[in-house]
Amino acid sequence: MSTRNSSFTESENYSQETDMASLAAAMSEASRMKILCALMDGRAWTATELSAVAGIAASTTSSHLSRLVKANLVSCLSQGRHRYFRLYNSRIASLLENMMGVTFQASNPSRSKVPKELLKARTCYDHLAGEVAVKLYESLITHGWIESDGNDLTLLGKEKFLHLGITLDTKSKRKKCCPCLDWSERKFHVGGFLGASLLIFFENNNWIEKVPGYREVTITPKGYKALHRHFLIEG
């Protein structure tokens, strides 16, 4: 009886390990990683755009995208005669963010190559990351807008966000908020539905401007003033 259970466990583990190896293999190519990192800006890209950012031929890009789609790292959206590609889900974005953190901390040359603007503020799939985002997370906890573990809003926070005009969809299956480890700061920024809602709110109110085709985000003069007024964040 114990032998059967042992064999079942080994078989189950082997299947998972095989799946993990397959996922790693799908990511283990520099051009495919460039494609995945480009998609971290949260937009849907065409194959032509991804070909340009990866610096490879269209035919090669098509082959790489097929591999990424098959591995459930990227999803394909068809609209008319056009096809768009985006990250499969937020879990893939979190995986990439963690990988960036590991390589950023382990390699000094990598640090020197990262533009300061990208370290200041950038997109992490569908929410804000970087120095400013970490300061925002710390401010929300300090002033009691979110719980100390970052996994839920407080009653005060719900009132404050509602006053700002940020309404959180209670029907969403996604976590209202959660801590997301920032790869450059090695501290948390705000993820989950709240993180995504804040990014949309900041952009709609011209507090930030996204740099087209890149993850870089620029904080506008209006944004710096608003972040200080509402969240006591210094520029």
Side-chain angles (χ1 to χ4, degrees):
M1 185 73 174
S2 61
T3 302
R4 179 180 295 181
N5 288 339
S6 176
S7 297
F8 176 78
T9 302
E10 289 175 3
S11 175
E12 185 179 49
N13 288 339
Y14 176 77
S15 177
Q16 184 180 39
E17 290 163 1
T18 301
D19 288 344
M20 291 170 67
S22 297
L23 182 66
M27 303 173 75
S28 63
E29 204 282 333
S31 295
R32 288 198 288 271
M33 286 305 299
K34 287 181 180 179
I35 289 172
L36 290 171
C37 288
L39 294 175
M40 280 289 285
D41 73 346
R43 296 189 305 120
W45 292 56
T46 65
T48 301
E49 291 170 331
L50 291 170
S51 175
V53 76
I56 54 179
S59 57
T60 307
T61 302
S62 179
S63 176
H64 285 320
L65 286 170
S66 295
R67 181 78 181 271
L68 294 172
V69 169
K70 185 177 180 180
N72 287 334
L73 288 164
V74 168
S75 60
C76 179
L77 310 171
S78 296
Q79 188 169 353
R81 291 185 293 177
H82 299 285
R83 298 172 71 207
Y84 297 89
F85 299 87
R86 64 183 308 161
L87 291 183
Y88 192 76
N89 55 34
S90 59
R91 294 174 65 185
I92 301 302
S94 297
L95 173 61
L96 291 169
E97 187 79 3
N98 288 334
M99 291 176 69
M100 290 174 184
V102 172
T103 54
F104 182 72
Q105 292 299 313
S107 174
N108 287 326
S110 292
R111 294 186 183 192
S112 62
K113 293 178 182 178
V114 179
K116 291 183 178 179
E117 294 79 7
L118 198 63
L119 300 180
K120 187 74 173 180
R122 63 182 181 275
T123 52
C124 175
Y125 189 52
D126 64 355
H127 56 270
L128 192 66
E131 179 188 332
V132 172
V134 168
K135 288 182 178 179
L136 174 61
Y137 177 85
E138 292 173 346
S139 175
L140 294 178
I141 288 181
T142 299
H143 296 95
W145 289 35
I146 60 177
E147 299 291 351
S148 58
D149 61 3
N151 282 307
D152 203 356
L153 283 77
T154 63
L155 289 175
L156 175 64
K158 292 177 182 178
E159 293 176 359
K160 293 288 188 179
F161 284 123
L162 186 61
H163 181 72
L164 277 175
I166 301 175
T167 304
L168 298 179
D169 185 3
T170 55
K171 296 180 181 179
S172 174
K173 295 181 180 179
R174 191 175 181 183
K175 282 187 176 182
K176 290 181 181 178
C177 67
C178 63
C180 181
L181 188 61
D182 196 280
W183 62 257
S184 60
E185 296 295 309
R186 305 307 290 172
K187 296 179 181 179
F188 292 118
H189 57 243
V190 184
F193 194 86
L194 175 60
S197 298
L198 284 169
L199 182 63
I200 294 172
F201 178 81
F202 292 167
E203 187 173 17
N204 289 344
N205 285 276
N206 298 317
W207 293 13
I208 63 171
E209 293 178 353
K210 292 183 180 178
V211 179
Y214 297 91
R215 293 180 63 194
E216 180 185 331
V217 170
T218 300
I219 310 296
T220 66
K222 177 183 178 181
Y224 276 116
K225 291 179 181 178
L227 288 171
H228 177 70
R229 182 171 67 253
H230 296 292
F231 306 110
L232 300 180
I233 296 176
E234 297 294 340

